[in-house]
Amino acid sequence: MNKSKLMLAALAAIPVSIGMIGEVEAEGAAAADIVAADKVREMIQTLNEESTPTEISAARKAYDALNSEAKKLIQVVTNLEYFESRLAVQKAQARKRSESRDGPH
């Protein structure tokens, strides 16, 4: 087989391999895990700059309640982590403002 045919055969196999990996991951998780992961993924994806601390906390609690197999199905957890860190910074800034207004005690 010449090089171009080998290259074509390799390129044709890539999508099949990637598709098979996704199927294996889905088979490893129970149907209930997939449904639960989808709900939590949706909660996390809806977080935005206007999200309240309660919404962010609810998304974290929902994520933490998942088992390890369901957690593996969620790729957007960094979105949750971003909003949690943003919230922590806002709380620290509010605390500093409050301390500066109140002065030393």
Side-chain angles (χ1 to χ4, degrees), residues 9 36 38-39 41 44 47 50 59 62 68 83 92 94 96:
D38 284 342
K39 288 179 183 179
R41 182 182 309 108
I44 294 171
L47 295 176
E50 303 299 319
S68 60
F83 286 108
K96 280 186 177 181

Side-chain angles (χ1 to χ4, degrees), residues 6 13 43 63 99 105:
L6 284 173
M43 285 179 77
Y63 179 78
E99 289 171 358
H105 291 198

Side-chain angles (χ1 to χ4, degrees), residues 32-42 66 70-71 73-74:
D33 292 341
I34 295 169
V35 170
D38 284 342
K39 288 179 183 179
V40 174
R41 182 182 309 108
E42 186 176 317
L66 295 173
K71 285 179 181 177
L73 300 173
I74 298 180

